[in-house]
Amino acid sequence: MAEAKRARGHWASKTEFILSCMGYAIGLGNVWRFPYLCYRNGGGAFLVPYLLMLALCGIPLFFLEVCLGQFSGTGCVTVFKIVPLLKGAGIAIVVINFICTAYYNVILSYPILFLWKSLSSQLPWEGCQNAWNTDRCLELRGDGRATEAFLNSSVMAHSERYRTPADEFFHNEILQISDGIDQLGGIVWPLFVCNLVAWIIIFCCIAKGVQSVGKVVYFTATFPFLILAILLVRGVTLPGALDGIRFYIMPQWSQLSNLKVWADAAIQIFFSLGPGWGGIVNMASYNQFKNNTKLDSILIPLINCGTSIFAGFVVFSVLGYFSHQTGLPVATAATGGPGLAFITYPEAISMLPLAPLWACLFFSMLFLLGIDTMFVQIEAIISSVLDVFPTLRSSKLPITAATCFLLFLLSTSCVTRGGMYLIQLFDWYAASISVILICIVEVVAVAWIYGCDNFVRDVQFMIDRKVERCWRVLWKYVTPILLSFIFFTTIAYNTEVTYNSLSYPRWAIAVGWVSCGASMICIPAFVFYRLANSKGSLMTRLRNELKPQDWGPADAHDRELWNAAKTNDTLVDYLY
């Protein structure tokens, strides 16, 4: 067992684990999703449900997954040795990561291409005099008539609306976008090359597993904070910045009576921290057995949420300047998702002195924020395979190369002219509901089937510290209830996917739901498989499959002490 643990690898230091978790949890959503949600859902008032959901759902889930991974020393599939019947949830995690990493990496190719285009004396999206511009391009630089025409065109059909130079640059030059998902068109070769470059960088960084990732994150997880700080200093010194910040944080307390605000807060906490994706379990599995998981599980979520709030000031200070320069209301300029990162913010940057410098910093930050997430998700896939088939560990390098190459081939469909429609489709459906279901299964497996008292006993043995009663209440009651709330509100508020106001055909929406169901079906399918292949009556088979099998510390010495303490009934109070 000890030899297997050594062969699997471990972090060289606690700092590598902390930085990897920070890089994983702090991603593109902190920049392009949270600020928009905050202003839309009551500004400063949104922080009330946001921080409450962090305390009652985000931190308990994070703590649970870190403890699972560190105690067992194994990844997201084999960790379900704690309740073998529910191992299908681990398989579902691998399926989700496989689907999502394929398209997510293409999003990382956009900042690379933007970065390349920004290496000039003048940004190419500053004006409407380029080959990719149309007669609907409209420059908004203090021209009142242009601003009025732009606002009035919002009620027109999408093809008739006026668009900013940054909008046309992104859609006509970067994406070379087609008219819909049913017109994928050919490959956009600049994007293809950037996608390939991104995959090569990722492979080089994860080639040696945690040994290489642990070194890379010293740069990739910290440098974005430096860039954010620089952009904030630049942003708050701009005319109109305070108006944008005021718009961002001004509390609207009446919004707290809106159920959707609470749902958005819960969903944002959930998807921002990243439980249910296997990454937290997998990263924690490389920790030293006695690492203090409780401190880590409070510190990392707090840093993540603080970064989201901080990023909001960066974004809205520049949007306030954009509003000041163009005359557009901040509410009109404020958007979320790719529209903010690749259209609105670049448009605002183009109006700054030394615009290419700020563009290079911004797109470098976006790339680094996204690449850390890719490290963890791909490593979760590879580690899961190697944990199930440990004899393949000696072939980890070729398996990593083969995985990256296969994902690169799958991602090629997203660098076509209709690729953005595919990205939006899978981003909308593939993991939105299934990841929440996985977390519900995970919490039920630990707190109700294995037993909350048993799990607390294991954690106390591992960290040599008392686990307070509040954690038991959270794991057993509060977090499952909140997860169920998130699950049902996600379904209730789910709307059909669109992009640029274009509706998707029914077959495309069906494909989106299939991508969602492909992971969820793994859970009941594995239950039927295990019950069908075991012996005895149905109740006997069910009882046997709900009992932990080979559960315990990965290290032989730790397992021996753990078993001895269990036998003597001293595990709860056991300290080295």
Side-chain angles (χ1 to χ4, degrees), residues 550-574:
D550 192 31
W551 174 252
D555 181 80
H557 178 65
D558 291 328
R559 183 175 287 232
E560 183 180 347
L561 291 174
W562 177 68
N563 282 323
K566 274 201 310 180
T567 303
N568 297 328
D569 198 27
T570 60
L571 202 52
V572 171
D573 300 317
Y574 186 87

Side-chain angles (χ1 to χ4, degrees), residues 236-510:
V236 296
T237 58
L238 295 170
L242 291 181
D243 293 331
I245 291 173
R246 191 180 299 113
F247 188 83
Y248 166 53
I249 63 173
M250 185 64 68
Q252 301 171 34
W253 300 110
S254 60
Q255 288 276 42
L256 294 182
S257 61
N258 186 350
L259 179 63
K260 192 174 187 310
V261 171
W262 291 83
D264 281 347
I267 292 167
Q268 175 62 16
I269 283 291
F270 184 83
F271 284 106
S272 179
L273 289 178
W277 292 82
I280 299 170
V281 172
N282 190 60
M283 286 186 294
S285 70
Y286 297 114
N287 276 342
Q288 299 297 333
F289 186 72
K290 287 296 178 177
N291 174 56
N292 181 8
T293 56
K294 186 160 53 171
L295 178 62
D296 298 344
S297 302
I298 295 173
L299 178 65
I300 295 168
L302 288 176
I303 293 174
N304 172 64
C305 294
T307 303
S308 294
I309 297 169
F310 181 68
F313 286 96
V314 175
V315 169
F316 273 87
S317 63
V318 175
L319 291 185
Y321 170 72
F322 178 64
S323 173
H324 178 270
Q325 293 296 99
T326 63
L328 284 176
V330 178
T332 303
T335 58
L340 173 65
F342 301 119
I343 298 174
T344 308
Y345 203 90
E347 181 73 29
I349 287 176
S350 71
M351 300 177 183
L352 293 172
L354 301 175
L357 170 64
W358 305 114
C360 289
L361 285 174
F362 177 70
F363 291 116
S364 298
M365 180 192 69
L366 286 185
F367 178 73
L368 293 173
L369 285 174
I371 200 170
D372 283 327
T373 305
M374 288 291 291
F375 292 161
V376 175
Q377 288 184 266
I378 297 174
E379 183 63 28
I381 296 172
I382 295 167
S383 294
S384 298
V385 174
L386 299 182
D387 287 339
V388 175
F389 306 104
T391 55
L392 297 176
R393 282 186 183 143
S394 59
S395 305
K396 181 169 183 177
L397 184 61
I399 289 173
T400 302
T403 302
C404 289
F405 182 68
L406 178 57
L407 288 168
F408 163 69
L409 293 179
L410 292 174
S411 68
T412 302
S413 62
C414 295
V415 295
T416 58
R417 293 183 61 224
M420 176 53 88
Y421 299 109
L422 286 175
I423 291 172
Q424 191 75 0
L425 178 71
F426 291 123
D427 193 52
W428 199 272
Y429 291 106
S432 58
I433 298 173
S434 49
V435 171
I436 306 171
L437 179 63
I438 288 168
C439 283
I440 293 173
V441 171
E442 197 173 75
V443 171
V444 170
V446 171
W448 289 94
I449 300 177
Y450 180 67
C452 201
D453 290 341
N454 292 333
F455 185 65
V456 168
R457 173 200 67 190
D458 295 346
V459 174
Q460 289 184 155
F461 171 79
M462 177 177 67
I463 66 175
D464 290 340
R465 288 169 175 82
K466 183 180 179 181
V467 176
E468 293 78 8
R469 184 172 296 277
C470 64
W471 294 106
R472 305 180 192 216
V473 174
L474 288 168
W475 285 333
K476 199 166 185 179
Y477 303 107
V478 179
T479 302
I481 290 171
L482 285 176
L483 284 173
S484 301
F485 167 72
I486 297 171
F487 183 75
F488 288 112
T489 51
T490 302
I491 295 173
Y493 290 113
N494 184 273
T495 54
E496 289 189 354
V497 60
T498 60
Y499 183 73
N500 262 0
S501 303
L502 296 176
S503 299
Y504 281 54
R506 306 309 303 176
W507 67 264
I509 293 172

Side-chain angles (χ1 to χ4, degrees), residues 79-321:
V79 76
F80 280 94
K81 291 183 291 188
I82 192 170
V83 181
L85 190 64
L86 300 179
K87 189 178 178 181
I91 300 171
I93 291 171
V94 175
V95 173
I96 290 171
N97 279 307
F98 212 83
I99 294 172
C100 293
T101 49
Y103 76 76
Y104 190 79
N105 194 73
V106 177
I107 298 176
L108 298 187
S109 68
Y110 300 157
I112 295 176
L113 192 52
F114 266 98
L115 191 59
W116 174 254
K117 299 282 188 179
S118 300
L119 297 176
S120 60
S121 59
Q122 184 177 358
L123 293 177
W125 60 87
E126 286 188 14
C128 292
Q129 296 79 38
N130 304 286
W132 57 80
N133 292 126
T134 69
D135 58 359
R136 308 306 292 172
C137 181
L138 195 61
E139 295 183 28
L140 304 174
R141 295 179 182 267
D143 186 337
R145 288 177 298 178
T147 301
E148 186 179 354
F150 183 83
L151 290 171
N152 291 337
S153 72
S154 62
V155 298
M156 301 179 183
H158 177 73
S159 59
E160 297 299 319
R161 295 176 189 170
Y162 287 111
R163 291 180 288 276
T164 62
D167 189 330
E168 292 207 337
F169 176 77
F170 179 56
H171 287 111
N172 299 347
E173 174 65 5
I174 297 291
L175 299 181
Q176 299 178 30
I177 197 165
S178 67
D179 293 330
I181 194 171
D182 49 358
Q183 301 177 34
L184 288 182
I187 290 175
V188 180
W189 291 108
L191 276 182
F192 177 89
V193 172
C194 292
N195 186 41
L196 177 61
V197 168
W199 275 115
I200 291 172
I201 293 172
I202 289 169
F203 170 72
C204 292
C205 292
I206 67 172
K208 294 185 178 180
V210 292
Q211 285 79 16
S212 55
V213 171
K215 303 300 180 288
V216 172
V217 292
Y218 278 97
F219 173 73
T220 59
T222 57
F223 193 60
F225 286 96
L226 176 61
I227 300 177
L228 273 174
I230 294 171
L231 291 175
L232 178 64
V233 172
R234 171 71 275 198
V236 296
T237 58
L238 295 170
L242 291 181
D243 293 331
I245 291 173
R246 191 180 299 113
F247 188 83
Y248 166 53
I249 63 173
M250 185 64 68
Q252 301 171 34
W253 300 110
S254 60
Q255 288 276 42
L256 294 182
S257 61
N258 186 350
L259 179 63
K260 192 174 187 310
V261 171
W262 291 83
D264 281 347
I267 292 167
Q268 175 62 16
I269 283 291
F270 184 83
F271 284 106
S272 179
L273 289 178
W277 292 82
I280 299 170
V281 172
N282 190 60
M283 286 186 294
S285 70
Y286 297 114
N287 276 342
Q288 299 297 333
F289 186 72
K290 287 296 178 177
N291 174 56
N292 181 8
T293 56
K294 186 160 53 171
L295 178 62
D296 298 344
S297 302
I298 295 173
L299 178 65
I300 295 168
L302 288 176
I303 293 174
N304 172 64
C305 294
T307 303
S308 294
I309 297 169
F310 181 68
F313 286 96
V314 175
V315 169
F316 273 87
S317 63
V318 175
L319 291 185
Y321 170 72

Side-chain angles (χ1 to χ4, degrees), residues 23-58:
Y24 171 63
I26 300 169
L28 295 175
N30 296 74
V31 174
W32 76 23
R33 180 172 166 81
F34 174 81
Y36 172 69
L37 279 180
C38 189
Y39 111 81
R40 193 185 71 180
N41 289 311
F46 181 68
L47 296 181
V48 174
Y50 182 70
L51 296 176
L52 195 60
M53 291 297 175
L54 171 68
L56 299 180
C57 186

